[in-house]
Amino acid sequence: MNFQGEFIMSAPTLFNTHVVENQPLPLPAYNLWQDDPLLKCAVMANVTSPHADVALQLDVFGQVAGFELMEHGELANKNKPEFHPFDRYGRRIDDVAFHPSYHALMSAAMQGNVHNYSWQNESQQGAHVIRAALIFMQYQADAGTTCPLTMTHAAIPALRQAKGLPDYWVNKVVHGQYDDRTLPAEHKHGLSIGMGMTEKQGGSDVRRNTTTATKQEDGSYRIVGHKFFFSAPMCDGHLILAQTGAGLGCFLLPRVMPDGTLNEVRIQRLKDKLGDWSNASSEVEFQGATAYLIGEEGKGVRVIIDMVSLTRLDCMIGSSATMRQGLVQAYHHVSNREAFGATLIDQPLMQNVIADLTLECTASLALTMRVARAVDASKTNPKEAALARIATAIGKYWICKRTPAFINEAQECLGGIGYVEENILPRLYRQAPLNSIWEGSGNVQCLDVLRALHKEPESKAALFDLLHSAKGRNACYDNHLQSLLDAFEDTATLEIRSRLITEHTAIAMQGALLLNESDSVMANTFCEARLGKQQGLAFGTLPANAPFLDIIKKGMLSSSNN
């Protein structure tokens, strides 16, 4: 306005200060299966002759996850779940409201069989590997929804041990679709299952649980107590541990009773978590809630162990998926950004970083899918079952530990933009530590490794059969394997050294798996750097003679858009 109050149009300026150049465009949408050579290689290495319809299903879900679900993942994390304990008239409803994108993610995932592929195709070789690939893709779009998807999938071995439980509890998980309505389980199109194991005073030491279960005349149990972590409280049922006269028992606790009333589960609050924002985690109190025994009284830990093993495998899958998406984002940026007269990816030091991240991602995915293969074969092959028991703890420890540092390195590739919430990297960074904590922290995994070595000679034999299968293919690997054998023989201080031993075992397994594949470039570089101690502690410290460009090329997206 001028002094007389009249509006004056701004004159064209000679000082245009907002010219955007040398900034990459956002990563275009891409098919998370078809365009990912690392995932395809890892799956094919562990599935013999997959059927054409299997490849088609992975392709279809890869398209959905890479195009539709990536955006839904952003929206679901920007709009956290809201807890509504009461309705407008004061009735207790214990409801958690989710953004529509959360429901879209869950619906697409269940339609894509992320939660039940293993159980629908149990007779098919590689069913657990294919299912691992499905949730690997889902995880890149949104990690939060994989929590209820993981628990629903992992609950089946436990639910099958129930006596007198209506068949629909298993059938509607194995064959059902997403149904978010608050209804009795019998009347829903599909069911989701959560977990409530830990309490304030015990954490991973579940034998300190104080929640009690008292048997009623109708055969059900009355549950009184609390859970400090009650994951995905809007699930249709939860598997919980509670004390009986004979010790800990495992119970299925429905959210809605057959008559349509809510079970006596009171949500106290939702957890204000570092990451995993799209999903709700809660604290609850059981005020005489009704539950049904799974297995036998006093055998609760034994019943739940199969579920825990499967969820630990999903921790490996999720961490590997987080790495993969971090690598994809970093590579896209450095391929489209110039500095100091050259594109970043053409600069030797950046090549070292991206190649090192590609190696780590490849090795983590190889170990993850090998464990999925062992789980898949465990029903009919005792040796694979033994390998699965020890390798799950080893892989869960190491892969989940590596992820936060990996994502931080990917952020550095983007510079300041990698620290800004408009980018996916901060979400990946917040998510990265979760899997090392969930389902047993690092110390718990290492103690499980020692327990398997001590109590299950067949697990140790299966592990070292795998390690010896690559002997003679790389000198650095052979030397590391011998050092590892010597370390296991020194039993006096085994527990206090168990983190280092588990780490060395995990890297040896990754080296063996890479050596047993046909890609000598990846395998030899990995062994010489990781096992031959030819690199530093940070990423991007591979030896100068490493074939950086060959490694990077193997990890690139196949899509012509990238």
Side-chain angles (χ1 to χ4, degrees):
M1 298 178 68
N2 62 13
F3 68 94
Q4 293 178 329
E6 298 173 341
F7 283 99
I8 300 176
M9 296 290 293
S10 298
T13 177
L14 298 177
F15 305 101
N16 190 345
T17 61
H18 197 73
V19 176
V20 179
E21 58 181 352
N22 194 29
Q23 284 286 5
L25 294 171
L27 177 69
Y30 66 98
N31 187 310
L32 294 185
W33 166 255
Q34 196 60 248
D35 295 330
D36 189 344
L38 295 186
L39 177 59
K40 293 169 80 172
C41 181
V43 169
M44 297 307 173
N46 292 285
V47 179
T48 57
S49 302
H51 300 295
D53 57 341
V54 171
L56 177 60
Q57 181 167 358
L58 290 168
D59 188 16
V60 169
F61 189 73
Q63 185 78 5
V64 171
F67 282 76
E68 299 174 26
L69 301 191
M70 293 296 285
E71 180 63 25
H72 281 306
E74 282 294 310
L75 292 172
N77 280 275
K78 289 177 180 176
N79 299 274
K80 297 181 183 180
E82 296 181 354
F83 176 39
H84 301 293
F86 303 99
D87 70 8
R88 68 184 68 182
Y89 299 105
R91 298 182 186 90
R92 186 86 194 209
I93 57 173
D94 287 293
D95 184 61
V96 179
F98 294 90
H99 188 269
S101 283
Y102 175 90
H103 297 297
L105 286 157
M106 287 294 294
S107 181
M110 286 192 166
Q111 186 175 352
N113 304 116
V114 172
H115 70 302
N116 60 12
Y117 187 92
S118 305
W119 314 124
Q120 287 191 1
N121 301 276
E122 287 186 88
S123 62
Q124 173 186 310
Q125 188 275 333
H128 280 275
V129 178
I130 300 303
R131 186 261 167 188
L134 290 169
I135 200 165
F136 180 88
M137 293 186 280
Q138 173 78 15
Y139 207 102
Q140 292 180 72
D142 172 61
T145 47
T146 63
C147 177
L149 293 167
T150 285
M151 294 184 295
T152 300
H153 172 260
I156 290 298
L159 291 175
R160 285 176 172 171
Q161 299 182 51
K163 299 175 182 178
L165 193 68
D167 291 342
Y168 57 74
W169 278 104
V170 170
N171 292 339
K172 292 193 177 190
V173 169
V174 175
H175 302 291
Q177 295 298 313
Y178 183 59
D179 186 346
D180 66 329
R181 296 175 299 168
T182 300
L183 292 174
E186 183 179 6
H187 301 305
K188 299 193 69 171
H189 300 311
L191 301 176
S192 57
I193 308 296
M195 292 174 65
M197 301 295 161
T198 61
E199 300 180 6
K200 297 182 182 74
Q201 71 285 348
S204 295
D205 187 4
V206 294
R207 297 191 184 279
R208 298 189 66 173
N209 284 6
T210 60
T211 296
T212 60
T214 305
K215 193 170 184 178
Q216 306 299 295
E217 291 184 2
D218 64 357
S220 67
Y221 284 74
R222 183 173 180 266
I223 309 296
V224 177
H226 81 280
K227 293 297 172 184
F228 199 44
F229 281 93
F230 194 71
S231 298
M234 299 309 288
C235 286
D236 299 293
H238 284 76
L239 293 183
I240 68 164
L241 293 176
Q243 298 287 357
T244 69
L248 278 176
C250 179
F251 298 88
L252 172 65
L253 188 149
R255 179 169 176 262
V256 182
M257 301 305 297
D259 63 1
T261 60
L262 291 176
N263 206 348
E264 296 299 324
V265 180
R266 297 291 169 259
I267 300 175
Q268 302 304 302
R269 62 171 175 165
L270 300 185
K271 297 287 193 181
D272 188 8
K273 299 171 293 186
L274 171 66
D276 211 40
W277 285 355
S278 64
N279 179 50
S281 302
S282 64
E283 297 176 28
V284 299
E285 291 183 357
F286 305 130
Q287 299 178 356
T290 299
Y292 305 96
L293 182 66
I294 307 292
E296 303 176 20
E297 290 189 4
K299 307 294 185 182
V301 174
R302 185 179 302 175
V303 169
I304 209 66
I305 198 66
D306 287 339
M307 183 179 189
V308 171
S309 295
L310 288 172
T311 53
R312 286 178 175 176
L313 170 58
D314 277 15
C315 288
M316 297 169 60
I317 299 169
S319 291
S320 298
T322 303
M323 288 187 193
R324 183 51 174 155
Q325 188 56 217
L327 174 60
V328 167
Q329 296 289 337
Y331 179 79
H332 173 74
H333 183 87
V334 300
S335 298
N336 293 277
R337 171 83 165 176
E338 294 183 2
F340 310 112
T343 304
L344 286 174
I345 193 58
D346 293 329
Q347 300 185 18
L349 194 52
M350 183 59 75
Q351 290 177 1
N352 197 326
V353 171
I354 297 296
D356 207 358
L357 293 178
T358 303
L359 269 184
E360 189 71 23
C361 186
T362 303
S364 296
L365 190 51
L367 179 53
T368 295
M369 290 303 179
R370 182 61 183 91
V371 174
R373 172 179 153 194
V375 170
D376 190 69
S378 61
K379 279 191 175 182
T380 57
N381 188 326
K383 181 178 177 181
E384 287 292 296
L387 178 64
R389 286 194 293 274
I390 192 168
T392 300
I394 293 169
K396 201 270 190 190
Y397 172 79
W398 182 239
I399 294 173
C400 298
K401 283 287 184 193
R402 293 289 276 175
T403 308
F406 185 106
I407 297 301
N408 179 238
E409 197 67 58
Q411 285 181 301
E412 278 198 33
C413 293
L414 274 70
I417 293 177
Y419 199 69
V420 175
E421 291 288 349
E422 292 172 331
N423 189 283
I424 193 176
L425 268 300
R427 170 154 66 97
L428 297 181
Y429 189 65
R430 289 194 306 273
Q431 198 71 34
L434 173 62
N435 286 322
S436 68
I437 299 171
W438 189 43
E439 296 300 1
S441 59
N443 285 357
V444 172
Q445 303 308 312
C446 293
L447 293 175
D448 280 354
V449 172
L450 295 187
R451 190 177 299 111
L453 291 170
H454 177 67
K455 295 185 176 181
E456 300 179 22
E458 63 274 20
S459 289
K460 184 176 181 179
L463 170 64
F464 278 97
D465 280 351
L466 171 61
L467 296 178
H468 279 108
S469 70
K471 191 173 180 180
R473 299 187 179 184
N474 181 279
C476 294
Y477 177 83
D478 291 349
N479 292 335
H480 180 85
L481 179 58
Q482 186 57 55
S483 297
L484 189 61
L485 290 167
D486 295 341
F488 276 109
E489 291 301 318
D490 181 8
T491 59
T493 59
L494 203 56
E495 180 174 334
I496 202 167
R497 292 183 293 117
S498 60
R499 278 191 171 223
L500 184 60
I501 289 174
T502 301
E503 174 182 322
H504 285 176
T505 305
I507 301 173
M509 293 180 72
Q510 291 175 323
L513 292 170
L514 294 179
L515 287 168
N516 285 336
E517 295 179 7
S518 58
D519 192 337
S520 60
V521 171
M522 285 277 195
N524 288 325
T525 305
F526 180 90
C527 291
E528 288 159 14
R530 303 288 198 271
L531 306 181
K533 304 297 189 293
Q534 295 182 31
Q535 70 171 138
L537 297 179
F539 288 109
T541 56
L542 294 175
N545 62 348
F548 303 115
L549 294 180
D550 289 340
I551 293 171
I552 292 169
K553 185 177 180 180
K554 293 176 185 298
M556 289 171 55
L557 296 180
S558 303
S559 172
S560 59
N561 294 326
N562 300 289

